[in-house]
Amino acid sequence: MKHRICALLLGAALFPADAVAQHSHHGAAPQSAAPHEVTAGALAVSGAFARATLPRAPVAGAYLTLTNHGTQADRLVSVTAPVGKEVQIHDMIHKDGVMVMRHLPEGLEIPAGGSVTLRPGGLHLMIMGLTDKLVEGQRLEMTLHFEKAGPATVPFDILALNARGPAGHTAGKDAGHAHAHGQAAFDQSALDGDEGRIIGLLKHMFETDGAPLIVAPVLIDGDVAIIGWMQQETGGRALLRRDDAGLWRVSLCTGDGLKGEAGMIALGVAPTVAARLARAQAGAEAQLPPDHVAAFARFDGVLHIDDNGQGH
Ligand SMILES: [Cu+2]
């Protein structure tokens, strides 16, 4: 059974199952052994992957390397996906001290004899208006339209929520770390105080380059904590518990399921603790911008987190 991340992640997105071809796990070639390479004219496309998404995530990120073996520059002018309203080409830039995404409507030039890598934290394809989630282990085909080389249909392997790149693909410095960091691998004792430890754990597990995780509010009552989180366009609430060794563990992730006393009790929080946490939550969330609090409701369902962290 695969470890499922609680997804404090921007996820990415969604596709009706019929738009996504199943990988065969019984076939001869392991998918990680050789990233697919597709050519179109003088262009080669390699290392294409998309990140798995949370339920109802509005967007998905996809990445690849474009190499131009020709003597003339070409341009990626547009990308189409079988589902999703549109695919945009985005860049990440520093603006007033924060990383923000910038849409590149004019497309992306691939210089003659050069290559361009789209990777987490930098240039990326962003699938907008998704209608179903992207499931790790499946594959999504998208069509890249080049100014000179024409269209090319490219299979994108769907990797973990915070994948940095396909295993064995060396284009990115972070290539190979395809799975989320588990809870167990994180040394909380190095951090000061429960709030710092909880935020550190969540960032360790779910934050990625270009997708900062905002954790607030952090409400702690004894060995139970309820937090709100927001990452790019999505958000949610999570329940954490302190284990016998004194370490915080994410127990489950949900959205409005952890809003208010009744929901907390329904998810296993002791009534007296739930009453106190719900009062603290109401006060703390009232201090946050309304759109921030609204993002907490976007996490649909309840995701129970186990702790076989490294994901196999
Ligand atoms: Cu983007």
Side-chain angles (χ1 to χ4, degrees), residues 168-187:
H169 186 65
T170 54
K173 62 182 163 65
D174 293 312
H177 299 134
H179 285 283
H181 295 146
Q183 306 195 48
F186 180 68
D187 181 15

Side-chain angles (χ1 to χ4, degrees), residues 10 59-61 88-92 101-102 122 124-128 232-233:
L10 151 51
V59 298
Q88 295 182 351
I89 302 166
H90 282 183
D91 198 0
M92 300 290 300
M101 295 193 293
R102 178 177 59 165
H124 57 279
L125 302 179
M126 185 156 274
I127 306 165
M128 319 292 287
Q232 296 187 347
E233 295 87 349

Side-chain angles (χ1 to χ4, degrees), residues 28 42 45 54 135 142 170 202 204 218 300:
V45 181
L54 298 179
V135 177
M142 294 199 281
T170 54
L202 292 165
H204 169 78
V218 177
D300 200 35

Side-chain angles (χ1 to χ4, degrees), residues 76-99:
L76 176 63
V77 289
S78 65
V79 180
T80 49
V83 291
K85 284 197 183 74
E86 66 172 317
V87 182
Q88 295 182 351
I89 302 166
H90 282 183
D91 198 0
M92 300 290 300
I93 55 167
H94 277 283
K95 192 176 179 183
D96 302 327
V98 283
M99 292 289 281

Side-chain angles (χ1 to χ4, degrees), residues 172-253:
K173 62 182 163 65
D174 293 312
H177 299 134
H179 285 283
H181 295 146
Q183 306 195 48
F186 180 68
D187 181 15
Q188 294 178 31
S189 60
L191 294 174
D192 252 7
D194 288 318
E195 181 167 341
R197 291 176 181 192
I198 287 169
I199 293 171
L201 172 65
L202 292 165
K203 283 178 173 279
H204 169 78
M205 291 175 73
F206 304 116
E207 190 168 72
T208 62
D209 295 345
L213 181 73
I214 299 165
V215 182
V218 177
L219 310 162
I220 300 167
D221 193 299
D223 292 332
V224 177
I226 288 176
I227 63 97
W229 61 271
M230 190 162 72
Q231 191 168 37
Q232 296 187 347
E233 295 87 349
T234 195
R237 295 184 180 85
L239 172 66
L240 293 92
R241 293 181 185 279
R242 193 188 340 234
D243 68 15
D244 294 341
L247 300 177
W248 289 96
R249 298 288 181 222
V250 180
S251 175
L252 60 86
C253 297

Side-chain angles (χ1 to χ4, degrees), residues 2 35 60 90 103 112 115-117 129 132 187 209 222 260 290 309:
K2 247 180 179 162
H90 282 183
H103 181 200
S115 73
V116 177
T117 295
D132 195 1
D187 181 15
D209 295 345

